[in-house]
Amino acid sequence: MSIVFHHVSKRLKTPQRLLARQKSSAAPFRVKTAEFLAAASAADQIPALNGRPEIIVTGRANCGKSTLLSAVLGQKDLFRTSKKAGCTRTLNFYRVGEHPGSVVLVDAPGYGARGRPEWGDLFNTYITTRKQLKRVYILFNGKHPLNPADLEMVANLSDTLYTQEGAQPYTLQAIITKADCIPSHLLSEVLPKIHQQIWEAAPLCLPPIVTSAMMTPKFGIEEVRSNIAEACGLAIPSDSASRGNLSWFVNSVNK
Ligand SMILES: Nc1nc2c(ncn2[C@@H]2O[C@H](COP(=O)(O)OP(=O)(O)OP(=O)(O)O)[C@@H](O)[C@H]2O)c(=O)[nH]1
Ligand SMILES: [Mg+2]
């Protein structure tokens, strides 16, 4: 008995084991990084949300929009994702950080062959009427070049970047998803090609951030968080070593 006890206490004394124990006991009480606020399937269901800055994602159905937001917020359980295109069917609003939070992320249904006209109408109503919209993120699946639907969408969005009064209602940022699906020997060929296609169709679109939500560790997600924080006008300490990590993101939002 005493030998067993001795053995156990000796094992628990190593820093790695203490750390492992702390981690596992802390897991159920993890700080909430985000919360689902509302879903809208029609324009009259779009919630007011007190004018907090918002960003929205768009992209062809199945390009990885919900997966990207889930990675940005570090909360898989809030998002439904699927191998089948057409999974997200409403505008879904998520608050970042603790209540009341100061930034809202909006997931959207996809466009293209698996999209639906009513989803497009809802998206268009949202972007043309939403005063607090700060940036639209258009996602492109890195596995394929941009198709005609992508080119039309990014060009149309680019056209909406200035109002008749000459003011810029929001900015437009490209993101390439699923970079892990591009064979590494083709990366230097595929990425500049996509960048060129975006630039030719929409010169005002900000150059793409390359991401993979499936690599370990995930790739490009910290850059996306920093980008959202910048778009929403949050105070960003430029020299911070933790810039872009999840607690940095939630803390900058909660300030
Ligand atoms: N390999 C890889 N797969 C990914 C990545 N991101 C998403 N996926 C997969 O792509 C599929 C579609 O992802 P979703 O996040 O549901 O895509 P979506 O754009 O939200 O799709 P809709 O809601 O249908 O428009 C899922 O099977 C994901 O697991 C990535 O970075 N790499
Ligand atoms: Mg989705």
Side-chain angles (χ1 to χ4, degrees):
M1 181 68 181
S2 63
I3 292 171
V4 173
F5 184 78
H6 173 72
H7 179 65
V8 169
S9 62
K10 203 173 155 197
R11 282 175 63 197
L12 287 177
K13 268 183 190 158
T14 66
Q16 291 90 335
R17 285 188 182 278
L18 283 173
L19 202 64
R21 280 184 76 209
Q22 275 172 8
K23 271 190 183 161
S24 65
S25 63
F29 305 105
R30 204 159 54 98
V31 173
K32 259 198 168 177
T33 57
E35 192 167 47
F36 171 74
L37 295 173
S41 57
D44 60 1
Q45 293 171 0
I46 295 175
L49 300 179
N50 305 326
R52 283 172 275 177
E54 287 180 6
I55 64 94
I56 189 167
V57 291
T58 187
R60 234 188 300 165
N62 203 245
C63 69
K65 300 176 291 298
S66 304
T67 304
L68 182 89
L69 290 185
S70 157
V72 162
L73 295 175
Q75 263 185 255
K76 232 176 172 178
D77 50 326
L78 287 180
F79 293 84
R80 277 193 60 224
T81 64
S82 169
K83 281 184 184 159
K84 274 186 158 181
C87 180
T88 306
R89 292 156 178 241
T90 49
L91 292 184
N92 296 331
F93 295 77
Y94 299 88
R95 187 198 66 227
V96 183
E98 307 279 337
H99 176 80
S102 53
V103 168
V104 173
L105 311 188
V106 187
D107 194 8
Y111 60 74
R114 306 303 297 270
R116 290 188 188 166
E118 63 268 27
W119 296 344
D121 293 343
L122 180 62
F123 179 82
N124 286 340
T125 303
Y126 170 87
I127 63 161
T128 49
T129 56
R130 197 67 165 174
K131 297 261 183 307
Q132 63 263 48
L133 176 61
K134 300 297 176 196
R135 187 163 288 174
V136 175
Y137 289 83
I138 183 161
L139 277 54
F140 303 106
N141 180 346
K143 272 194 214 176
H144 314 287
L146 273 58
N147 75 4
D150 290 321
L151 293 169
E152 192 184 333
M153 185 70 175
V154 75
N156 285 345
L157 279 170
S158 183
D159 289 345
T160 66
L161 289 182
Y162 285 94
T163 61
Q164 279 176 346
E165 297 77 41
Q168 191 169 27
Y170 48 80
T171 48
L172 177 63
Q173 170 74 56
I175 294 182
I176 296 173
T177 59
K178 309 194 188 186
D180 55 291
C181 297
I182 309 171
S184 49
H185 69 283
L186 293 179
L187 279 170
S188 58
E189 192 182 311
V190 169
L191 295 177
K193 203 169 163 186
I194 295 178
H195 190 165
Q196 179 73 15
Q197 281 188 297
I198 296 167
W199 191 81
E200 281 172 11
L204 297 178
C205 184
L206 296 164
I209 300 171
V210 179
T211 66
S212 165
M214 295 299 159
M215 278 167 70
T216 311
K218 298 181 197 315
F219 185 81
I221 304 302
E222 300 200 338
E223 196 179 341
V224 175
R225 289 193 193 111
S226 299
N227 192 290
I228 294 172
E230 180 255 314
C232 293
L234 303 177
I236 305 174
S238 56
D239 57 343
S240 168
S242 60
R243 184 184 165 96
N245 77 22
L246 187 55
S247 53
W248 171 89
F249 187 48
V250 173
N251 287 337
S252 35
V253 164
N254 282 337
K255 265 180 201 154

